[in-house]
Structure formats: C-alpha cells, structure tokens
C-alpha cells in the first residue's frame, strides 16, 4: 500500500515537473519571439508583445513559489502570493543568471500591494516582474535616453494596482559619468489603443517621485504598478522648488500688467489711427504680438493639466510658439526700421512698406509653425519643467507642465537659434544707433540737455529692440539664479515697458507739434 502511494506521489511530481517544464518552454519561446520581432524594428513597438508575455506568465503552471526565466535581453519572474503577503524585495544581485558586471537594480513591494485584490477575491494571487535590458521593446523618447537601457515592470493578477499609500521602490544603480546637464525624470508608460492594435504611449512622471540617495543611485518611489525606467534628458539645470512660487507670481503679475498695457496701447492707436505713420503702425504690430504672447503664456499651464484634451494643449503650444516667433520677428523689424530712419535720411520711401513688413512679421512665423504641425504635430504638447527639491542628503525631482515645444531640435533651432539671431541683429543695430547719437551729441551746443535726452532715448531703444531677451542665454552656472529673476521681471513686463515708450513718444510728438504751432503763430503775428 505504501508502495502504491509512493508511486502515485512520484507520478504527480513528474506530471507537475512536466507541466512546469512545458510552461517554461512556452514562456521562453514567447520571449525569444519578442526579441526576434523587435530586432531591427523601425516602426513603433507593439504593446501586444508585452501584454502577451504578461498573459503567459499569469497562466503558467509551476511548482514552488516562484518561476524565473531569462533570455538575452528579457528576464521574467512570477510569484505566487496570498492575502497574508508581507512584502517582497528583489535585487539583481540575488537573482540567478545575472552577470555582476551589469548595472544593478532592485524592486521593493509593500504589504499593501494585495489589499484591494483580496477584498474582492480570496485565494491565490500572482505577481509578475519583467526586466528588459533593451529599450527597443518600448516607445522611444526623442528628447531623452534611458539610464542603462533598463525598463523594469511589475503587474499583479486580478486588477490594476494604483494609489498605494506606501510606494513601490525601484532602484537603479549606474557607473556613468553624468554631467550637470543630465536631468533625471522617473517615468512610466501609459497604455492606449484597442486590444487588437495598441501601442505604448508617452513617458509620464505622474505618480512617481525621483530621489538621488547617492551619486550612483536613482530611487523611484511610485504609487502604482506598471513599467518603470529613468529617463536622462540633456537640459538646463532644474529650477529649485523654493523659487518656483515667486517666479510664478512674478510671471502672473507681470504678464497681466503687460496684457492691460498692450491692450490699452492698441485701443489708443485705433482711436487715432488716421494720424499714425508707418513707425507707429510697426509699434502696434509689436504690441499685438506681445499681447498674444502674454495671453497664450498665461493659458499654457492651465491647458497642460490632464483633464484638458491633448489637442487643446497642442494648439495652444503652436499658438504660443507662433506668438514668440512673431514677437521676435517684429523686434527685428523695429531694428531694421531704426536703421532706415537713422542711416538713410533720404530715399526711404518703400511702396506698401507696412504691408510688406506684416507679411514678414506674421507670415514667416505662421509658415514655420504650420509646417511643423503638418510634418509632425507631436512637436507640440505638454512640456515638463524640472523642479529640484533638496531634502537632507537626497534630491527629489518633480515636474510642472506647460503647453510648449516638445522636440529638442525644434527648440534649439526655432526658439533659441531664432531668438539668438534676432538679439544679435538688434544688438548690432543698437550699438550703431548709440554711435550715431554720440556723433550728434558732439555737435550739440548744449551737451548736458542732449545727454539727458539721449539717455532716455537709449533706454527706450533697448526696450524697443528687446535686448532683455538675450538674458535667456545666461541660464547656467552662477548666472542661473539672477538670470531667472531678471528674465522673468523684464520680459513679463515687456508690454508695459513698450506702453511707457509709446506714451513718451506720443507726448514728445505732441510737444513738438505745439512748439511748431507756437512758432508758426508767432511768425504770423510778426508779419
């Protein structure tokens, strides 16, 4: 009898081992299939490949409490859990078949992980962890690269895990020499599309906080389960968290004042448009572009929040880019017009001069933005601004979003490059104008009065030509902190400064007209 029971147990054990071996073979074949399909793939990766691996692991039969399988670029683990789950810590240093020469990683799961699932379902649960040492299984980010090319994923059977009060900790170690320009951002993939044709969405830092416990470790503390990675973005130094509130307040107040000032200037011009000349009309076009820029800038953070449709953020980002390019173009037109006024005293008549300038000032930016939208609308959308918060020995990186240009090449060429050329041109014109004014002052019999008047003129020309926008090129090293405040103050109030210039010019022209009238009246009385 004992022999029969022993034989029965051996048969059961052999059957269990056979099922485990069969499940292992099926899972390994699926992992090898994924590697073969994604090798050399140029189109966006198909999310069903990863979803299929998840399904195979959830349904695989194996003896013991866990199953571990590995191919060249994928390592898969499955764990049997119950409602008495007390937490789990996984480290690549303790896993089998992981070369120690590779960068290390670890995941820690809290006891709360199975709580919601056990409320609706009692019995066995399964936790799967999938480690990818290649980024080709996922959507690439054109502005970033993955640290170590690692993506670590975890899923729990019977429901999606989210809103954990005690976070899941994912640690990445590295031995890379990272400069000050590399910004760490913890991200996860959002799933979109139908079950038949689904692709990975864009990286998002929502629900995760990034910390740097040591120079060689990145710690991701996330409130949900999905696929995690550390994105490295070559960018400017992150804004300190304690400066975000005052900078936001200054921008809000300054842009609001500029909107009112620009709107008032345009209305005053429309009231007396019959008396305006080409110079005044150029000023009004600059005011209109600044007005549009300030309105779009204030709306940008509002429409970047998740409840707002993505198309609205894309259109606002395109509008903001168009307004900035128009503003920069009209600044360059102001410099060109100043050169004509001071350099070519005679023969400066150009047929339909203002109309041609409008075609350049509004048409060129519109053409560039529409071309980008037609080529790839994903150039515009929510742009993440890095904010660093130092806490003790670690640094937490957070993000705030605005609707802006997402492509780094477009930002470099059609924002920084375009603005740099405009600033350089206007600085040359300003230096030349100062030289001309200096020569005129040397001929003046009353140099004191002339010097005072020239000082006001130079300050006005500096504002008119947008010289303060050149501060954008000093956002590094020791210049970062003063540059942030100076750039925010001067350029948020740019419309207000233009309003003051408009008022001073109008008062000056009215005073000159009254003086000429008095001279004319006196000459008539003498006659």
């Amino acid at each position: 009898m004992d022999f029969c029971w022993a034989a029965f147990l051996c048969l059961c054990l052999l059957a269990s081992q056979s099922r485990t071996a069969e499940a292992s073979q099926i899972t390994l074949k699926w992992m090898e299939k994924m590697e073969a399909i994604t090798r050399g793939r140029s189109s966006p990766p198909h999310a069903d490949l990863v979803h299929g691996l998840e399904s195979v692991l959830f349904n695989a039969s194996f003896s013991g409490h866990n199953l571990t399988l590995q191919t060249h670029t994928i390592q898969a683990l499955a764990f049997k859990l119950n409602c008495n789950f007390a937490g789990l810590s996984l480290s690549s240093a303790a896993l089998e078949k992981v070369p120690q020469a590779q960068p290390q990683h670890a995941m820690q799961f809290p006891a709360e992980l199975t709580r919601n699932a056990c409320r609706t379902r009692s019995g066995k649960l399964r936790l799967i962890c999938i480690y990818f040492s290649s980024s080709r299984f996922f959507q690439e980010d054109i502005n970033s690269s993955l640290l170590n090319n690692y993506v670590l994923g975890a899923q729990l059977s019977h429901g999606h895990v989210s809103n954990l009060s005690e976070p899941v900790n994912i640690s990445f170690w590295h031995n890379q020499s990272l400069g000050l320009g590399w910004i760490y951002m913890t991200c996860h993939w959002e799933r979109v599309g139908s079950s038949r044709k689904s692709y990975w969405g864009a990286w998002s830092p929502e629900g995760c906080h990034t910390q740097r416990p040591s120079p060689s470790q990145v710690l991701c503390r996330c409130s949900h389960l999905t696929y995690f990675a550390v994105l490295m973005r070559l960018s400017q130094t992150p804004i300190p968290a304690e400066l975000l509130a005052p900078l936001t307040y200054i921008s809000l107040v300054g842009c609001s004042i500029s909107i009112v000032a620009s709107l008032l200037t345009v209305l005053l011009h429309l009231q007396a448009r019959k008396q305006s000349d080409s110079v005044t009309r150029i000023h009004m076009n600059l005011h209109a572009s600044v007005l549009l820029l300030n309105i779009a800038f204030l709306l940008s953070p509002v429409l970047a929040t998740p409840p707002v449709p993505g198309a609205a953020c894309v259109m606002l980002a395109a509008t903001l880019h168009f307004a900035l390019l128009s503003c920069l173009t009209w600044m360059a037109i102001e410099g060109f017009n100043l050169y004509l006024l001071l350099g070519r005293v005679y023969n400066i008549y150009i047929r339909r001069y203002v109309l041609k300038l409008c075609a350049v000032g509004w048409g060129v930016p519109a053409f560039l933005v529409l071309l980008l939208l037609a080529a790839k609308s994903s150039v515009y959308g929510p742009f993440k601004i890095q904010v660093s918060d130092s806490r003790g020995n670690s640094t937490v990186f957070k993000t705030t979003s605005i609707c802006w240009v997402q492509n780094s090449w477009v930002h470099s060429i059609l924002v920084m490059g375009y603005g740099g050329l405009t600033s350089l041109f206007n600085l040359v014109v300003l230096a030349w104008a100062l030289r001309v004014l200096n020569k005129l002052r040397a001929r003046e019999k009353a140099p004191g009065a002339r010097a005072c008047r020239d000082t006001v003129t130079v300050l006005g020309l500096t504002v008119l030509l947008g010289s303060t926008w050149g501060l954008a090129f000093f956002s590094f090293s020791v210049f970062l902190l003063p540059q942030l405040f100076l750039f925010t103050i001067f350029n948020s109030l740019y419309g207000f400064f233009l309003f003051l210039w408009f008022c001073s010019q109008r008062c000056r022209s009215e005073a000159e007209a009254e003086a000429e009238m008095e001279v004319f009246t006196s000459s008539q009385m003498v006659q």
Side-chain angles (χ1 to χ4, degrees), residues 487-507:
F487 183 87
T488 303
I489 293 172
F490 285 131
N491 295 321
S492 64
L493 292 171
Y494 182 64
F496 177 70
F497 293 148
L498 287 178
F499 170 74
L500 296 180
W501 170 258
F502 173 78
C503 292
S504 65
Q505 292 297 104
R506 186 168 182 174
C507 293

Side-chain angles (χ1 to χ4, degrees), residues 267-282:
L267 293 177
L268 290 174
H269 168 69
L270 293 177
Q271 182 182 6
R273 59 183 181 274
K274 293 182 180 180
Q275 303 175 2
S276 63
D277 54 5
S278 61
V279 176
T280 305
R281 292 174 185 175
I282 293 173

Side-chain angles (χ1 to χ4, degrees), residues 143-297:
N143 300 320
S144 309
S145 60
L146 297 185
L147 179 65
N148 300 328
N149 282 329
Y150 270 9
V151 179
L152 309 184
Q155 298 288 346
L156 185 68
S157 61
H158 312 298
H160 179 65
V161 177
S162 60
N163 299 322
L164 295 173
S165 58
E166 186 178 351
V168 178
N169 294 326
I170 308 99
S171 296
F172 297 83
W173 284 269
H174 64 88
N175 55 6
Q176 302 181 28
S177 177
L178 303 177
L180 294 176
W182 285 109
I183 305 304
Y184 296 97
M185 182 170 63
T186 302
C187 307
H188 63 271
W189 286 104
E190 293 288 352
R191 300 181 180 182
V192 296
S194 62
S195 58
R196 294 185 61 186
K197 186 179 181 181
S198 58
Y199 295 93
W200 296 113
W203 289 104
S204 170
E206 300 300 328
C208 290
H209 293 284
T210 305
Q211 297 182 5
R212 294 290 308 278
S214 69
S216 61
Q217 181 185 2
V218 181
L219 175 61
C220 309
R221 298 172 60 84
C222 303
S223 62
H224 56 280
L225 292 185
T226 183
Y227 292 90
F228 305 95
V230 174
L231 267 69
M232 300 186 299
R233 175 172 294 174
L234 187 60
S235 177
Q236 60 182 358
T237 306
I239 301 175
E242 61 272 14
L243 300 181
L244 183 62
L247 288 174
T248 302
Y249 180 77
I250 293 172
S251 299
L252 179 62
V253 174
C255 290
S256 300
I257 293 175
S258 292
I259 288 174
V260 174
S262 297
L263 186 60
L264 182 61
T265 306
V266 173
L267 293 177
L268 290 174
H269 168 69
L270 293 177
Q271 182 182 6
R273 59 183 181 274
K274 293 182 180 180
Q275 303 175 2
S276 63
D277 54 5
S278 61
V279 176
T280 305
R281 292 174 185 175
I282 293 173
H283 292 344
M284 291 307 106
N285 280 279
L286 178 58
H287 271 286
S289 64
V290 173
L291 177 62
L292 179 61
L293 177 62
N294 286 319
I295 293 175
F297 179 77

Side-chain angles (χ1 to χ4, degrees), residues 400-422:
T400 181
S401 300
I402 63 171
C403 297
W404 184 231
V405 178
Q406 291 184 312
N407 189 292
S408 59
W409 287 103
V410 174
H411 185 271
S412 299
I413 297 173
L414 289 183
V415 177
M416 300 303 294
Y418 199 96
L421 290 176
T422 302

Side-chain angles (χ1 to χ4, degrees), residues 68-134:
T68 302
L69 299 170
Q70 183 170 348
T71 60
H72 181 65
T73 57
I74 307 174
Q75 185 178 29
L77 300 92
F79 299 89
K80 294 178 180 178
L81 306 181
N82 53 40
C83 292
N84 295 324
F85 179 67
L88 178 65
S89 296
L90 298 177
S91 174
S92 59
L95 295 176
E96 298 179 359
K97 302 179 181 179
V98 178
Q100 295 301 314
Q102 293 185 1
Q104 303 299 305
H105 51 80
M107 298 183 74
Q108 294 179 347
F109 303 95
E112 183 190 357
L113 192 71
T114 61
R115 186 174 302 170
N116 290 333
C118 289
R119 290 174 182 173
T120 58
R121 180 187 178 89
S122 60
K124 299 293 183 180
L125 299 173
R126 185 168 295 187
L127 172 68
I128 62 171
C129 300
I130 307 175
Y131 300 156
F132 297 92
S133 59
S134 174

Side-chain angles (χ1 to χ4, degrees), residues 27-47:
T27 309
L28 280 172
K29 287 182 179 179
W30 188 273
M31 294 161 66
E32 292 171 353
K33 174 185 175 183
M34 291 176 60
E35 291 182 338
I37 292 176
T38 55
R39 189 176 295 115
R41 175 186 289 272
S42 59
S43 60
H46 208 285

